[in-house]
Amino acid sequence: HIGTFSAEGTFDGAIDHLEHLVDLGVDAIELLPVVEFSGRRGWGYDGVNLFAPHHAYGGPDGLKRLIDAAHDRGIGVIVDVVYNHLGPAGNYLPEFGPYFAPRHQTNWGDGVNFDGPGRDEVRRFVIDNALMWLRDYHADGLRLDAVHAIVDESGTHILAELAAAVDALAAGTGRPLFVIAESDLNDPRFVRSRDDGGYGLAASWADEWHHALHATLTGELDGYYADFGPMALLAKALRQAWVYDGSYSGYRQRVHGRPPTGLAGNQFVVCTQNHDQIGNRAAGERSSVLMSDGRLRVAAALLLTSPFVPLLFQGEEWGARTPFPYFTDHADPELGRAVTTGRRREFASFGWNPQDVPDSQQLSTLESARLDWAELSKNGHVDLLAWYRQLIALRRKVPALTDPRLDRVDAQCDQDEGWLVVRRGPVAVAANLGARSWTFPLDRPAEMLALSDLRVRRERQGVVLPPDTVAIVTEGEAGGGV
């Protein structure tokens, strides 16, 4: 998030921290929406001028400088775009044509008109916008917000048409370009090829991976976390990303999803936390506040040794303690009050005290979310950052860890004992979430590639793990002498 990633809250401010990301081992950065929205501060999902980079961040030239600087350092840039709704303040598109239609309703009102009368110009507007970020600003990819809120009953879904346009641009420019979707439908069509009846997107976010991990490591079972918690569901997520694949969801009170048959691990993006999962809490607490240091290390190990594309939320790598609450800057005070009141009402379903939800309109709410880069030099944060760097380097070094084939992932657990083991070829990730020490047996000679802390030790019968520790073990030649 450009507004909180640096003290300046600008594209240029973000450039100053790119070297940190290079040292961490990051391949790409994903920018939360950067289009013009109401006021100077916000998450960006209330955008209304879709072709204009936000003035408070540095405008068009600032975005160009950031993308050029990232590319100079070997880092790609993904831009988050929102085509399922526009913000409540400053949206004048309906004055110019049938951009919205009541035949499809969303959480934000009338749906975008992708399939009704006048749809052709609406679809072109969205596709032209998508291509602009890739062609004119040289972004490398797009992340589409909440595509489950896009309804299109026409013969060619707007996402398939958009993906085809991006592929054509990639072919014409000779640059690899891609589109990632956020969806909670657990529907393989989004990422299946168009020749196979899908939309041809590169990947889909898989929030259920996060939910299963979070519920297991924190014990929280309120709201949609009620569908998770048992360690067996976490093991299922570690094998295939989606937990609900045509099975019954108690929270939804219906069968949900389809099996990810034939999909590869690199067609899913997973995380231990992101802006939504943090910001959609009453006080915007990060995992670093909700988990022990040991469990943070377990979460990082499971993420960065998974067959999926791992996503980190800014500051996660050092256990940043700054919250990430929702914040706005609407000029209309009535609209601002309505947003805060609505969020407090929504959070009551999780059992949280509505009064714990900060006022999104207050400047202090934004300021509380700014990363505190001084934490990098403090005890605890330094060690966790070293752990993330070690895991990312290990992911690159061991070929089995970037093998996208899901049929080569085996995840087993014991709820009563609290242990979890994920095997990927010659690599085993063993975690102990139980109340007492547990020994991971070694059948053959093995090397300890990575340890969560010095409490983990190798003994003749295996690797002894105290509670809330994890070890990564490799057999034979996979260690490469590490």
Side-chain angles (χ1 to χ4, degrees):
H1 179 262
I2 292 298
T4 58
F5 185 65
S6 67
E8 298 83 0
T10 63
F11 296 125
D12 288 328
I15 292 173
D16 294 338
H17 297 293
L18 290 179
E19 291 301 330
H20 163 78
L21 301 180
V22 172
D23 293 341
L24 178 61
V26 164
D27 294 309
I29 56 175
E30 179 180 308
L31 309 180
L32 269 70
V34 296
V35 302
E36 280 288 351
F37 53 81
S38 174
R40 294 182 57 84
R41 57 186 183 272
W43 278 19
Y45 293 95
D46 284 340
V48 288
N49 297 330
L50 301 191
F51 287 80
H54 199 259
H55 68 284
Y57 295 162
D61 290 338
L63 178 58
K64 293 175 184 177
R65 287 192 295 271
L66 172 58
I67 294 178
D68 283 347
H71 287 170
D72 287 345
R73 292 162 175 81
I75 296 176
V77 179
I78 303 166
V79 177
D80 195 341
V81 291
V82 184
Y83 299 137
N84 53 56
H85 76 287
L86 271 77
N91 175 20
Y92 296 105
L93 278 179
E95 304 297 323
F96 294 91
Y99 284 89
F100 300 87
R103 64 193 300 255
H104 299 308
Q105 290 294 306
T106 72
N107 292 336
W108 306 279
D110 291 350
V112 179
N113 176 26
F114 288 119
D115 59 1
R119 69 175 190 179
D120 296 344
E121 290 80 7
V122 177
R123 294 166 76 98
R124 193 68 243 174
F125 177 85
V126 165
I127 291 172
D128 284 348
N129 181 258
L131 297 181
M132 178 197 70
W133 302 110
L134 303 171
R135 181 191 60 236
D136 301 343
Y137 288 92
H138 299 171
D140 302 283
L142 301 174
R143 181 264 194 185
L144 307 180
D145 177 64
V147 297
H148 47 266
I150 293 176
V151 181
D152 182 0
E153 297 176 346
S154 63
T156 300
H157 197 284
I158 180 61
L159 297 183
E161 186 176 346
L162 189 154
V166 170
D167 288 347
L169 179 63
T173 60
R175 296 173 52 219
L177 305 171
F178 55 88
V179 182
I180 301 169
E182 179 200 18
S183 170
D184 70 355
L185 297 178
N186 295 5
D187 187 346
R189 284 180 297 178
F190 289 105
V191 295
R192 290 203 193 283
S193 71
R194 290 185 293 280
D195 290 341
D196 198 24
Y199 302 153
L201 304 179
S204 173
W205 276 32
D207 279 352
E208 287 188 352
W209 195 96
H210 163 273
H211 301 342
L213 181 77
H214 182 91
T216 297
L217 295 184
T218 67
E220 289 187 351
L221 298 175
D222 297 317
Y224 49 74
Y225 292 130
D227 266 349
F228 303 91
M231 196 176 291
L233 295 186
L234 173 57
K236 184 176 182 180
L238 294 169
R239 290 191 296 268
Q240 63 175 51
W242 291 336
V243 173
Y244 289 89
D245 54 358
S247 48
Y248 183 79
S249 161
Y251 175 74
R252 297 180 178 91
Q253 297 186 15
R254 57 178 169 80
V255 170
H256 183 72
R258 293 172 59 192
T261 306
L263 301 186
N266 55 13
Q267 291 177 288
F268 297 95
V269 176
V270 301
C271 66
T272 67
Q273 52 189 315
N274 62 37
H275 66 286
D276 273 333
Q277 306 308 328
I278 301 170
N280 290 335
R281 301 180 60 85
E285 309 101 319
R286 292 170 174 261
S287 297
S288 57
V289 176
L290 304 173
M291 301 179 193
S292 66
D293 180 72
R295 294 202 168 202
L296 289 177
R297 292 167 184 259
V298 172
L302 294 175
L303 174 71
L304 292 167
T305 60
S306 80
F308 314 111
V309 179
L311 178 145
L312 311 180
F313 184 69
Q314 56 183 36
E316 169 188 338
E317 66 273 16
W318 74 76
R321 306 282 292 184
T322 47
F324 194 75
Y326 187 73
F327 42 84
T328 56
D329 185 29
H330 295 303
D332 181 352
E334 184 175 343
L335 175 59
R337 283 193 296 270
V339 171
T340 297
T341 301
R343 290 182 67 79
R344 287 174 173 169
R345 186 184 306 115
E346 178 184 354
F347 286 136
S349 67
F350 277 79
W352 293 323
N353 185 346
Q355 298 309 309
D356 291 338
V357 181
D359 186 343
S360 62
Q361 283 282 99
Q362 294 295 316
L363 176 61
S364 58
T365 304
L366 163 75
E367 292 175 337
S368 71
R370 289 196 195 279
L371 280 180
D372 179 8
W373 288 88
E375 288 180 332
L376 276 171
S377 61
K378 297 179 180 177
N379 291 338
H381 296 290
V382 174
D383 293 339
L384 186 61
L385 177 60
W387 176 239
Y388 269 83
R389 286 174 173 165
Q390 185 181 10
L391 287 169
I392 292 172
L394 184 66
R395 183 179 180 89
R396 287 209 174 98
K397 184 176 184 65
V398 181
L401 295 182
T402 48
D403 185 339
R405 291 173 291 184
L406 297 184
D407 59 358
R408 299 204 168 191
V409 181
D410 177 65
Q412 303 295 330
C413 65
D414 187 308
Q415 181 79 38
D416 295 333
E417 294 296 324
W419 59 258
L420 173 72
V421 176
V422 183
R423 288 184 171 86
R424 301 189 58 204
V427 179
V429 182
N432 180 16
L433 303 175
R436 56 179 182 270
S437 291
W438 168 70
T439 299
F440 172 61
L442 294 177
D443 298 329
R444 287 173 287 179
E447 295 183 55
M448 298 284 288
L449 274 185
L451 303 176
S452 64
D453 55 44
L454 295 179
R455 294 181 298 159
V456 178
R457 65 184 187 276
R458 168 85 178 271
E459 292 188 351
R460 185 170 184 177
Q461 68 272 29
V463 181
V464 180
L465 290 89
D468 291 354
T469 57
V470 61
I472 302 172
V473 179
T474 184
E475 298 177 355
E477 299 178 355
V482 176

